[in-house]
Amino acid sequence: MGHDMTTTPRFVFLTGAGISAESGIPTFRTPDGGGPAMWAEHSVDDVATPAGYRRNRNLVHRFYQERREACAAAEPNAAHYALAALAAALGDKVLVVTQNVDDLHERAGLPARNLIHMHGALATAICAGCRHRVDAGVYGDRCPRCRDGLLRPDVVWFGERPYEMPRIERAVRDAYLFVAVGTSGEVYPAAGLVDIARVHGASTVELNLQQTSGLFDETRLGPASRTVPELVKNLIG
Ligand code: OAD
């Protein structure tokens, strides 16, 4: 399907686990009051690396099936809805780059053209061979297209390259405003996008419960369900 690139994104949002915390989805590193952090409960090496997948596919499939169930039980919160409203108001000037594998941005109504899942998505599985995508839930099966590769979670693991980096970097270079929402800034290359934004002259704002890197022009502290709608209200006017 063709993508209309006539309008360049000017408002680029990078979202992380913190934007979904108030929907009841645990963050990875910092407990958010709703329970222990994901990477305190599960070994990253076992469930989020290619080597872990080679060692024990069933364990990895079970882990992502649990994530998928937690995601299905969750609802978008005011932060997701605010970003969808911004895209409805400003169209292709808005791009949301999410590190999250949940589908709460799309369920809040954010159109696919305004959203990039740089770390993949729970909703799909991908053929390890030919990269064909199918709906998730059919892991372990052979790919229906090439009939050879194994279907694996469509999630970017440690040691793998995030999806769509050229398109993301282009958008960040052209941005007027770069906003990071609910991300710890510990995982690259996502954590380096703020540097690209700054070098190319964007204003940079961080919305988080706490200050992270100190690399942003401005940090607004508070839960995303409050800070994101406030910022969006200012942008829409
Ligand atoms: P982290 O768990 O590292 O960080 C979550 C951030 O959200 C922290 O900075 C919290 O302070 C903040 N936070 C928590 N609740 C919040 C709220 N209600 N409102 C605003 N901020 C809140 O999650 P990510 O930065 O998304 O990658 O993690 C990045 C990547 O590491 C993930 O995409 C995942 C993980 O390993 C892969 O699996 C490849």
Side-chain angles (χ1 to χ4, degrees), residues 15-19 21-22 27-32 39 44 48 64 99-100 119 155-158 181-187 207-210 212 222-225 227:
T15 66
I19 199 170
E22 291 166 84
T27 56
F28 294 98
R29 294 174 183 76
T30 23
D32 45 61
W39 294 153
V44 174
Y64 287 100
Q99 298 167 86
N100 299 342
H119 289 166
V155 167
V156 175
W157 289 324
F158 287 93
V181 185
T183 177
S184 60
E186 302 229 0
V187 174
L207 307 181
N208 201 305
L209 294 178
Q210 61 197 42
T212 60
S225 65
T227 56

